[in-house]
Amino acid sequence: MSNTIKVPTMAEMMANGETPEILFWVGCSGSFDDRAKKITKAIVRILDHVGIKFAILGSEEGCTGDPAKRAGNEFLYQMQAMQNITTMNMYGIKKIVTGCPHCFNTLKNEYPALGGNYEVVHHTQLVQELINQGKLKVNGGEFKGKKIVFHDPCYLGRANDVYEAPREVIQKLDVELAEMKRSRANGFCCGAGGAQMFKEAEKGNKEVNVERAEEALALNPDVIAVGCPFCNTMMTDGVKHFNKEGQTKVLDIAEMIANANDL
């Protein structure tokens, strides 16, 4: 694994008269959640390894407004969105990569109505592109021959029809990719979307994440692969619920690629 990587902010790059190819949108989870920070670092290691010139907004990045909007606070969402759009337009941002499907969906589909027009890609799409272009060579490493189950994030799959990129990237690791009964367009939520992540569960007889984890664990996978920090939290909690953390790991696809290839 490489040493510490210095990630420049947009402000620093502009001060040096430089323009990055891509803005890495870190997101709230990727910035503040200790588990999700590992995903952020994995994405940074991949970007650095292939030599893409990228930057982050740093302290100028605010929440996209997705949780506020999904929870019904449109006014707060628009305030948060406008602040981000003003900042990004000031820097002339053209292309954004993000590790969070919630940020991805909001930036891609909802910011244009407020004057924020950018090319937005999810990190699995970027990794697939880099592999296809021959810029990123990967091997299976520690995952070779292992059984992997991929859980489709709602805002990546059903909301944006991105099903193949994450699966293609996983298969490059020379693994056995197993599918749950509910997958792709027929996928099932981890239980965190729509701002549910931040509130107590409603009445019912089973937590959504327990239901989903049970479905994944029924296939006896070595790894449950995810492409969203919220899904990561929910699936990890689900695996713990069944005391299976010794047998099954929950990992983001970026972590799998970075770890398998010592980036």
Side-chain angles (χ1 to χ4, degrees), residues 83-246:
Q83 195 168 346
N84 289 324
I85 290 167
T86 303
T87 303
M88 289 196 286
N89 288 353
M90 176 186 76
Y91 285 126
I93 302 292
K94 301 276 191 293
K95 186 171 181 177
I96 304 170
V97 64
T98 179
C100 173
H102 297 257
C103 298
F104 167 72
N105 179 67
T106 305
L107 293 166
K108 179 176 185 278
N109 299 321
E110 290 167 350
Y111 273 29
L114 298 172
N117 296 286
Y118 319 103
E119 181 192 348
V120 187
V121 296
H122 184 254
H123 68 294
T124 57
Q125 292 176 303
L126 183 69
V127 171
Q128 180 203 28
E129 204 178 291
L130 292 170
I131 292 170
N132 290 349
Q133 290 169 348
K135 291 178 182 170
L136 179 61
K137 305 234 180 323
V138 300
N139 58 61
E142 68 201 74
F143 302 106
K144 191 177 167 70
K146 296 276 173 75
K147 191 176 195 182
I148 314 292
V149 167
F150 177 61
H151 162 75
D152 288 283
C154 297
Y155 276 116
L156 188 63
R158 288 177 297 169
N160 287 286
D161 287 330
V162 179
Y163 298 114
E164 301 314 320
R167 285 173 172 80
E168 278 188 27
V169 172
I170 291 167
Q171 283 175 318
K172 287 285 191 287
L173 293 169
D174 207 4
V175 299
E176 179 196 342
L177 181 61
E179 293 284 358
M180 287 183 267
K181 282 199 181 91
R182 289 184 281 192
S183 67
R184 297 181 187 260
N186 191 29
F188 188 69
C189 182
C190 71
Q196 297 294 320
M197 180 88 162
F198 310 108
K199 60 185 270 299
E200 291 305 312
E202 289 159 42
K203 283 198 177 106
N205 56 13
K206 194 192 239 180
E207 293 272 10
V208 176
N209 68 318
V210 169
E211 169 91 1
R212 189 56 165 164
E214 192 172 18
E215 220 172 302
L217 291 168
L219 295 162
N220 291 318
D222 295 294
V223 177
I224 298 171
V226 293
C228 169
F230 285 11
C231 296
N232 199 311
T233 298
M234 301 305 268
M235 296 305 278
T236 300
D237 287 352
V239 170
K240 281 178 184 162
H241 176 86
F242 292 104
N243 297 313
K244 287 282 172 71
E245 56 267 48

Side-chain angles (χ1 to χ4, degrees), residues 8-20 55 89-93:
T9 62
M10 283 300 303
E12 287 166 351
M13 273 214 162
M14 293 298 270
N16 292 333
E18 292 182 272
T19 312
N89 288 353
M90 176 186 76
Y91 285 126
I93 302 292

Side-chain angles (χ1 to χ4, degrees), residues 1 6 12 41 69-71 80 147 165 203 213 223 225:
M1 197 183 296
K6 172 82 177 81
E12 287 166 351
K41 286 173 183 166
K69 188 177 181 75
R70 305 300 158 225
Q80 290 177 311
K147 191 176 195 182
K203 283 198 177 106
V223 177

